[in-house]
């Protein structure tokens, strides 16, 4: 009995301690906010909703951040100021606001904010996408554009992409002739992963190969984990405290990825040594890893790469190149299924240019303006990365508002694509808006960052260096899927598919696209 009373008294004491601690923390937070607000009143900041203690405006971000920010922008304007926890942020929701940040004041917003998860997975931000703006980043950008993802390299690796597309179409043909349903998103993810794998490492992985499956799982796990909210990134007193246990899961993912890359790099180095001994290096088509190893061994290079740089860069390409291409193609096909008249017009264009005796190829895309318009319209309504994220390196003034250094910038592409000031009936899927009226059929509106009401690949210095590759993969595979198959949903009926979104770092579908790909060409073109 005495033991129970002592235990009860101890619990009461503990509870009182925690109550007092919470009260002190709450009072301190209010005092801190009051002092901060008094300082901010002297500075002209963008409009902002009322913030809560500790969490700031985090409660306004659910359930899907880009949608929530769009709703807020309707009330507070094209530039808003928010606190996500203790992190100051500015949100741009129109093309004009995006241009101010990404072009007029680009030099102030050329950094990426540091995320605990991404920083760990990229060996301390030794990659390209999240590296700080500086000499190393500039060197890697130059290497990307001239060697790794330049036109010459992409042309050399065209046979790899063609072979993987052929394998993909054969799978769909087999499923379709048996009238079996396929998970379109899953198969597109496999296709994208195989293309990236072979371009990086010249690996010929079949869909049942253990290594290929492991790499697909790694990409999936990475996308999931980096898309989760991490309290240590936003609440200052949790900064060095892994309260959600992310560290263990991140270490497990990076260890798996590191082991795979070490094995592949070792095999490449051994193969390179043998070729040098045999004098068989000239004329050899190099994969991206081979190009990176050349740079690693180049003593005269202006920046000396490390193996961690190479691993982090390959990590970037896998994560960015696999998910995004697959999602864009899946969204496009879903829109076409819901708009059969647009699907039919695209087929007519393909058949008029290519016919029915061969399958469309990347070189044909330039002659298919309506297909290009379909992809542009998909990227407008369903931007795979719905927000561009940057961080200010120094303070600046935009539209009369003062933006301090270390402020995170979110450019809401999802909102920009729905701006009625730029788009007539913005919720309507209408590729014709990208077809010019001069008779050429080609729209002057590009997706490479020059027109700020359509910047799915970013803009300026930190625009995506893989834009050309992404467009080639998406457009050619979507064209082949339109040309070769009728897409039946709902047991073969004509039911429409849902277009709801799922929360995440990329714009995923809430429900998988399940269809039967019925072959429509007879005989089916030789592959």
């Amino acid at each position: 009995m005495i033991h129970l009373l002592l235990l009860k008294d101890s619990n009461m004491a503990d509870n009182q301690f925690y109550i007092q601690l919470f009260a002190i923390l709450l009072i301190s937070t209010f005092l801190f906010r009051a002092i901060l607000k008094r300082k901010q009143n002297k500075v002209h900041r963008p409009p902002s909703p009322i913030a809560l203690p500790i969490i700031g405006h985090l409660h306004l971000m659910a359930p899907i951040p880009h949608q929530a920010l769009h709703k807020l922008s309707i009330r507070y304007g094209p530039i808003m100021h928010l606190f996500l926890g203790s992190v100051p942020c500015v949100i741009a929701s129109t093309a004009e606001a995006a241009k101010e940040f990404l072009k007029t004041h680009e030099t102030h917003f050329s950094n990426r904010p540091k995320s605990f998860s991404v920083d760990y997975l990229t060996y301390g931000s030794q990659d390209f996408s999240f590296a700080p703006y500086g000499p190393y980043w500039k060197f890697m950008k130059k290497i990307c554009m001239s060697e790794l993802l330049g036109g010459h390299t992409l042309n050399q690796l065209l046979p790899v992409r063609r072979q993987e597309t052929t394998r993909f179409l054969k799978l769909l043909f087999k499923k379709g002739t048996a009238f079996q349903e396929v998970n379109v998103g899953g198969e597109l993810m496999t296709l994208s992963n195989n293309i990236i794998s072979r371009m990086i490492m010249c690996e010929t992985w079949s869909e049942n190969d253990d290594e290929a499956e492991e790499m697909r799982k790694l990409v999936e796990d990475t996308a999931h984990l980096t898309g989760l909210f991490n309290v240590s990134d936003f609440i200052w007193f949790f900064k060095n405290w892994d309260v959600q246990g992310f560290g263990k899961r991140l270490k497990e993912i990076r260890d798996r990825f590191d082991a795979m890359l070490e094995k592949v790099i070792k095999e490449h180095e051994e193969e390179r040594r043998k070729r040098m001994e045999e004098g068989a290096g000239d004329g050899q088509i190099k994969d991206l890893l081979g190009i990176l190893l050349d740079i690693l061994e180049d003593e005269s290079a202006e920046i000396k790469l490390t193996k961690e740089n190479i691993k982090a860069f390959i990590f970037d390409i896998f994560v960015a190149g696999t998910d995004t291409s697959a999602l864009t193609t899946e969204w496009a096909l879903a829109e076409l299924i819901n708009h059969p008249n647009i699907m039919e017009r695209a087929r007519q264009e393909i058949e008029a240019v290519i016919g029915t005796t061969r399958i469309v190829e990347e070189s044909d895309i330039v002659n298919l303006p309506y297909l290009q318009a379909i992809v542009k319209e998909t990227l407008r309504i369903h931007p795979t990365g719905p927000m561009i994220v940057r961080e200010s390196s120094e303070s600046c003034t935009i539209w009369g508002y003062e933006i301090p250094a270390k402020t995170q910038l979110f450019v809401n592409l999802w909102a920009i694509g729905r701006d009625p000031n730029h788009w007539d009936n913005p919720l309507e899927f209408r590729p014709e808006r990208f077809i010019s009226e001069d008779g050429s059929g080609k729209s002057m509106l590009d997706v490479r960052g020059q027109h700020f009401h359509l910047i799915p690949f970013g803009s300026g210095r930190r625009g995506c260096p893989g834009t050309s590759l992404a467009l080639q993969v998406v457009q050619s595979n979507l064209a082949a899927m339109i040309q070769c198959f009728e897409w039946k949903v709902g047991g073969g009926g004509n039911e429409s598919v849902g277009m709801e979104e799922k929360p995440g770092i990329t714009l995923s579908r809430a429900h998988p696209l399940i269809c039967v790909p019925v072959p429509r060409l007879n005989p089916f073109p030789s592959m």
Side-chain angles (χ1 to χ4, degrees):
M1 185 71 173
I2 292 173
H3 175 72
L4 291 174
L5 288 172
L6 288 173
L7 184 62
K8 182 178 180 182
D9 289 343
S10 174
N11 289 338
M12 289 178 64
D14 286 344
N15 289 337
Q16 289 175 354
F17 169 75
Y18 286 117
I19 291 171
Q20 291 170 354
L21 182 64
F22 177 75
I24 292 170
L25 178 63
L26 193 60
I27 292 169
S28 301
T29 302
F30 275 115
L31 288 173
F32 173 75
R33 288 291 187 191
I35 295 170
L36 186 64
K37 188 171 182 180
R38 184 178 300 173
K39 288 182 178 180
Q40 288 177 343
N41 287 337
K42 300 177 182 179
V43 178
H44 188 44
R45 296 282 170 80
S48 177
I50 297 174
L52 296 180
I54 302 177
I55 66 171
H57 299 97
L58 282 172
H59 63 294
L60 300 176
M61 301 294 285
I64 300 179
H66 57 267
Q67 294 184 10
L69 290 174
H70 176 49
K71 291 178 182 177
L72 287 172
S73 71
I74 295 172
R75 179 175 179 182
Y76 292 98
I79 297 181
M80 298 182 292
H81 184 266
L82 301 179
F83 273 100
L84 300 185
S86 49
V87 178
C89 302
V90 62
I91 290 81
S93 301
T94 65
E96 294 78 11
K99 186 176 181 179
E100 282 294 309
F101 286 101
L102 299 180
K103 184 176 183 180
T104 307
H105 295 86
E106 181 184 13
T107 55
H108 298 92
F109 291 91
S110 292
N111 275 329
R112 301 273 196 194
K114 184 173 285 189
S115 149
F116 173 74
S117 297
V118 172
D119 186 63
Y120 186 88
L121 291 172
T122 55
Y123 304 84
S125 298
Q126 294 194 63
D127 64 328
F128 169 71
S129 293
F130 294 91
Y133 183 73
Y136 167 73
W137 182 88
K138 292 177 183 178
F139 173 73
M140 289 305 296
K141 173 81 171 185
K142 182 170 69 175
I143 293 300
C144 276
M145 303 309 294
S146 62
E147 297 188 48
L148 291 167
L149 298 172
H152 177 69
T153 301
L154 295 185
N155 287 338
Q156 281 197 318
L157 294 172
L158 173 60
V160 166
R161 299 193 295 278
R162 186 180 294 142
Q163 289 165 15
E164 290 305 323
T165 295
T166 297
R167 187 190 318 200
F168 171 67
L169 295 176
K170 284 181 177 179
L171 172 69
L172 295 181
F173 179 77
K174 181 179 178 181
K175 295 280 189 178
T177 52
F179 213 77
Q180 294 178 352
E181 292 182 332
V182 297
N183 182 331
V184 176
E187 296 300 341
L188 285 168
M189 199 74 74
T190 299
L191 170 64
S192 297
N193 190 79
N194 287 347
I195 288 173
I196 295 298
S197 296
R198 292 192 59 198
M199 288 186 65
I200 292 175
M201 300 176 284
C202 276
E203 294 283 352
T204 309
W205 287 343
S206 68
E207 52 185 87
N208 294 320
D209 190 282
D210 291 339
E211 288 180 315
E213 181 59 34
E214 170 65 2
M215 184 56 78
R216 286 193 291 271
K217 188 69 167 62
L218 273 171
V219 171
E220 181 182 316
D221 292 346
T222 299
H224 172 71
L225 198 54
T226 54
L228 293 177
F229 173 77
N230 189 346
V231 67
S232 65
D233 286 333
F234 296 99
I235 309 296
W236 65 269
F237 50 80
F238 287 130
K239 187 172 182 63
N240 298 312
W241 186 11
D242 185 19
V243 293
Q244 294 163 274
F246 279 15
K248 183 178 179 181
R249 286 185 283 173
L250 289 168
K251 183 178 185 304
E252 187 263 338
I253 288 175
R254 198 177 79 173
D255 286 350
R256 286 159 55 199
F257 182 79
D258 197 83
M260 290 190 70
L261 261 293
E262 281 290 344
K263 176 177 176 289
V264 173
I265 290 174
K266 185 176 180 180
E267 290 172 353
H268 263 64
E269 289 177 330
E270 180 63 24
E271 182 64 28
R272 287 159 63 84
R273 184 186 63 78
K274 287 181 180 178
R275 286 205 307 268
M276 288 182 65
E277 290 176 353
E278 298 170 358
D282 294 339
Q284 181 78 22
I285 295 179
K286 293 180 181 177
D287 53 28
L288 302 188
L289 178 54
I291 296 172
L292 286 168
L293 290 174
D294 282 346
I295 300 169
L296 175 71
E297 297 169 2
D298 184 3
E299 296 296 334
S300 63
E302 58 185 277
I303 297 288
K304 183 64 177 174
L305 293 187
T306 66
K307 283 192 177 178
E308 282 69 32
N309 292 141
I310 292 177
K311 291 175 188 175
F313 182 81
I314 291 175
F315 175 87
D316 275 354
I317 297 180
F318 263 114
V319 174
T322 298
D323 204 16
T324 53
S325 297
L327 287 174
T328 300
T329 311
E330 184 182 16
W331 278 114
L333 185 64
E335 289 284 8
L336 293 176
I337 290 171
N338 286 347
H339 299 85
N341 58 318
I342 298 176
M343 175 92 82
E344 183 56 32
R345 179 172 171 180
R347 280 205 184 106
Q348 290 175 3
E349 178 185 65
I350 293 169
E351 291 189 358
V353 174
I354 289 94
T356 59
T357 59
R358 69 175 180 89
I359 295 188
V360 62
E361 297 183 3
E362 288 184 14
S363 59
D364 297 313
I365 300 302
V366 68
N367 298 315
L368 301 173
Y370 193 67
L371 177 84
Q372 296 176 52
I374 288 171
V375 173
K376 288 178 182 178
E377 181 72 338
T378 302
L379 291 169
R380 178 186 71 83
I381 299 181
H382 311 287
T384 313
M387 289 190 286
I388 296 173
V389 185
R390 305 276 179 88
E391 184 179 82
S392 58
S393 55
E394 54 186 299
S395 60
C396 62
T397 302
I398 295 179
W399 287 359
Y401 299 125
E402 295 185 37
I403 312 297
K406 294 294 183 181
T407 298
Q408 291 192 14
L409 165 68
F410 293 87
V411 178
N412 192 346
L413 304 185
W414 194 88
I416 291 173
R418 286 161 171 74
D419 185 354
N421 294 319
H422 277 294
W423 307 106
D424 179 38
N425 296 322
L427 298 182
E428 179 186 358
F429 186 79
R430 186 161 54 87
E432 287 77 8
R433 71 178 81 240
F434 292 103
I435 299 295
S436 67
E437 298 178 358
D438 63 2
S440 68
K442 297 179 180 179
S443 171
M444 295 299 292
L445 187 62
D446 194 17
V447 296
R448 299 173 186 271
Q450 302 303 312
H451 304 90
F452 287 85
H453 43 294
L454 188 67
I455 47 173
F457 300 102
S459 178
R461 292 176 174 87
R462 298 212 79 138
C464 176
T467 300
S468 294
L469 173 61
L471 288 173
Q472 287 174 352
V473 170
V474 170
Q475 291 174 157
S476 60
N477 286 299
L478 177 64
M481 294 168 76
I482 295 169
Q483 178 191 25
C484 297
F485 302 98
E486 298 279 359
W487 295 89
K488 303 296 183 181
V489 296
N494 295 317
E495 291 84 350
S496 62
V497 296
M499 304 300 283
E500 295 82 12
E501 300 170 3
K502 181 171 69 176
I505 195 170
T506 52
L507 195 70
S508 301
R509 290 176 50 77
H511 308 290
L513 180 59
I514 308 296
C515 300
V516 176
V518 180
R520 59 176 299 273
L521 300 181
N522 186 19
F524 204 79
S526 172
M527 293 183 291

